[in-house]
Amino acid sequence: MILSSQASSTPIRPIAAAIALLCAPAAWAQQTAIMPVVTIQAESGEGLGLARQVATASRLGLEARELPASVESLGAAAIEARGDVLLKDAVTRSTGLTDISSPGNGIAYAARGFSGNSAIALLENGQRPQVGSGTATTPSDPWGYDYIEVLRGPGSVVHGSGTTGATINAVRKAPTRAGALEAMAGIGAGRALRAGVGASGALGQGGAFRVDASAGRSDGLIERGDARHAKLLTSAAFALAPGLDLDLQLDHAQQKPQRYFGTPLVDGGLSRALRRQNYNVGDADIEFNDSKALARLSWRVTPALTVSDELVYMKARRHWRNVESYFYNPQARLVERSDYIAIGHAQEQAGNRLEARWDAGANRLVAGWEAAAIDFTHTNNAPYGGASSVAPTGFDPGRFDSPDPLRPNFRTDTVSHAVYAEDAYRLSERLLLLAGLRHDRYQVARTSLQGAAGFDATLQSTAARLGLTWTLAPDTSLYGQFSSGSDPVTSLLSLNLANSRYKLTRSRQLETGVKQSLAGGKAEWTAALYRIRKDDIITRDPANPALSIQGGSQSSRGAEISASVALAPAWRLEGNAVYTDAAFDTLVESGNVSRAGKRPSDTPTSSANLWLSYRAAGWRGGAGARYVGERFIDNANTQSLPAYTTLDASVGWQASRHVLVQLNLRNLADRLYASTSYGGSQYLLGERRHAELTVQWRY
């Protein structure tokens, strides 16, 4: 990747140096203060987690049942018991989340009628890397995380500007002074191998550490489908003095995802005969490298007031070299390939969050200021020429041979500032009022590296939330909320001249719901009704269809229900279902064609999950179904991805107090289905039926 010689014009290097200084051993080597005692509450990972304190929807330490918002927790134990290898496997078992990931965008989801990495925020311990060219690559697997939180709708004013569809936050396992060791090894179909290790313990008299490492590989049961990944998560916590704590993190992840961009349609549908085929070239390449360093200093000024300052530095290097478009020619009986694409991303992000929290009596308050500087360099071989044809099966994949050279295209320097405040006021024993406000401001400077004109743009938004929770009984609450947010019309870091004149889109949501625990927590359920409207999307000017303006809008309304019920001491049933009515209210496309009333792409009208689990006498098992309704792939609603249902199962045997052996089975019926589309002529197929055997140790 080519790094800008002007990177020093932003605060990245000084902030990175400050992090390095805070992380230096000399900063704490001489400290002997004793770490405060931390009580860890053991959890089975079952249920909806209504009693869990949430970190994504609020920074005030509220329980999920107290929040006037739709938030869901996925515990590590439940993820492990179901055998979910990837984070997206676990996330899409939550209510209303649909996987639309592809090798081009890394990880991506759809929720509540909105899709993509501009509308669905991905966080790791509350930190969000800004999205470059629509791509998000981490977090990708659940190893090392205590739980995953999913907040639906534009509800988060403390993490970003309030993305319209959802916010997903992977929360790390924390350092503890109590020694612990866990390990995992797995082997499965498709030459799949994976392993992980995690450990925690004391550091001297005043510290604790946590280390999690994992690695894996698989061929995905397709030709040339080799993929591999590895990561290392490290964290440490130190009590520097009474009331003064230091937390450190240093992480690195490498991914070589499957170089598979889909299977061409035959006669407009999926062909089982082509299921194992990969039409990419033989020397295709995809690689993601992500690193992060973090230092947080917290000072408990008084029992009620805590002030913290958090420095973070994130770095991403991404590379693609693939033939990405395929079309089956029925007359020639050949697959025609085009779009020989090579792309590189070099991204650095440094930021600071200064925050104060007040917790006294009936009032809890948090306020903060965030600043970040992001350097992003985009390299490509546009206009992506090159073409070839191969037989549907038994072909030589050839090599990447593009007539267009790979060269630096543009660089953006982005500086963002945000201020936020959130207040939870207990009006009475039964009424909790939650209010939040956030203002974001982005300054984007784009420099062409090919001699074209550059530009400067300033974008800003204000997000708000006002909600009321009414506790009818200790185990039952009703809530209502209004929230607003914003999304960019495209990735901020890859903003081009045509889009630089556009402001951020605006979204508004009304939501009401109920949360309840029954029979002493043996059953939990939640339900929500919502309506969201998003304005200022790009549309053609009705008066001049040759021009694009920000006059479009889309909306969605829907219902969601989730439940977890202990049917008997050894049996538990968990499930969720959603109905989404999403449509464009105003949208005019090329040719002055109105799409009003059409459903946005990647949005199923309905989806559902069901999982039945058993645990007794050293055995545990489970079986479940995942249903995703039909989705359109275009705004005209002329082509769709068929609905599908897949069946999964797992069975585990507690061989000893420390050892668990588990068999995970996926897509038991071997259903042929498409997980997402990659253009109108090719779909990415979902995983085939396969099995994996794992062994887990805990000491």
Side-chain angles (χ1 to χ4, degrees), residues 58 88 120 144 149 165 200 224 231 235 248 250 298 317 333 339 348 365 392-393 398 416 422 434 457 514 596 676 699:
S58 172
K88 64 182 182 181
I120 312 293
E149 282 186 354
S200 62
R224 301 182 314 283
K231 73 176 181 183
S235 54
L248 306 173
L250 190 62
S298 300
R317 295 291 184 268
R333 296 184 179 180
D339 289 345
E348 292 184 70
L365 174 68
T393 60
S416 69
E422 182 184 31
L434 184 67
V514 58
T676 189
Y699 296 94

Side-chain angles (χ1 to χ4, degrees), residues 327-617:
F327 171 76
Y328 177 70
N329 185 331
Q331 286 75 35
R333 296 184 179 180
L334 294 174
V335 175
E336 298 176 356
R337 307 186 300 185
S338 59
D339 289 345
Y340 280 62
I341 296 178
I343 292 177
H345 292 177
Q347 180 174 335
E348 292 184 70
Q349 177 173 333
N352 184 83
R353 176 190 291 154
L354 179 63
E355 183 176 273
R357 300 189 195 188
W358 174 268
D359 185 357
N363 198 48
R364 299 183 186 182
L365 174 68
V366 62
W369 164 72
E370 293 179 358
I374 309 101
D375 288 345
F376 181 75
T377 300
H378 192 282
T379 301
N380 64 28
N381 70 326
Y384 312 123
S388 60
S389 299
V390 296
T393 60
F395 57 90
D396 178 357
R399 301 183 65 81
F400 186 88
D401 184 17
S402 170
D404 306 310
L406 178 66
R407 55 181 181 166
N409 188 351
F410 67 87
R411 184 189 69 250
T412 58
D413 297 314
T414 303
V415 176
S416 69
H417 293 273
V419 291
Y420 61 87
E422 182 184 31
D423 184 78
Y425 184 68
R426 197 164 296 280
L427 300 172
S428 68
E429 290 185 0
R430 294 192 173 188
L431 292 177
L432 177 70
L433 180 67
L434 184 67
L437 191 67
R438 180 187 180 96
H439 182 76
D440 288 270
R441 182 181 178 88
Y442 306 94
Q443 295 174 294
V444 184
R446 174 165 169 148
T447 302
S448 172
L449 303 177
Q450 297 184 7
F455 64 84
D456 294 324
T458 299
L459 302 165
Q460 54 188 340
S461 69
T462 300
R465 177 172 68 186
L466 182 64
L468 182 68
T469 300
W470 179 22
T471 302
L472 297 177
D475 53 8
T476 305
S477 62
L478 300 176
Y479 73 88
Q481 71 153 331
F482 165 81
S483 59
S484 65
S486 66
D487 303 323
V489 297
T490 185
S491 300
L492 287 175
L493 306 188
S494 47
L495 198 67
N496 60 27
L497 182 61
N499 291 330
S500 63
R501 67 181 187 274
Y502 298 135
K503 59 186 178 181
L504 300 175
T505 63
R506 297 176 296 118
S507 58
R508 303 179 301 281
Q509 173 183 257
L510 288 173
E511 178 181 335
T512 185
V514 58
K515 304 176 184 182
Q516 186 177 44
S517 298
L518 300 170
K522 292 181 179 180
E524 294 179 318
W525 71 284
T526 68
L529 299 173
Y530 67 87
R531 181 177 180 85
I532 304 174
R533 179 182 172 92
K534 184 176 183 178
D535 293 314
D536 298 323
I537 66 174
I538 304 302
T539 183
R540 296 283 180 163
D541 186 347
N544 185 357
L547 299 178
S548 295
I549 60 172
Q550 275 190 288
S553 64
Q554 68 183 91
S555 61
S556 70
R557 58 183 179 179
E560 301 167 342
I561 186 168
S562 308
S564 176
V565 182
L567 303 176
W571 294 90
R572 177 173 288 271
L573 182 66
E574 297 177 289
N576 56 67
V578 304
Y579 171 78
T580 305
D581 179 14
F584 291 109
D585 302 301
T586 304
L587 180 66
V588 178
E589 293 190 323
S590 181
N592 206 27
V593 177
S594 173
R595 304 301 186 198
K598 301 294 185 180
R599 196 194 320 167
S601 61
D602 293 321
T603 302
T605 298
S606 58
S607 65
N609 291 280
L610 192 66
W611 190 267
L612 177 65
S613 59
Y614 170 84
R615 184 185 299 237

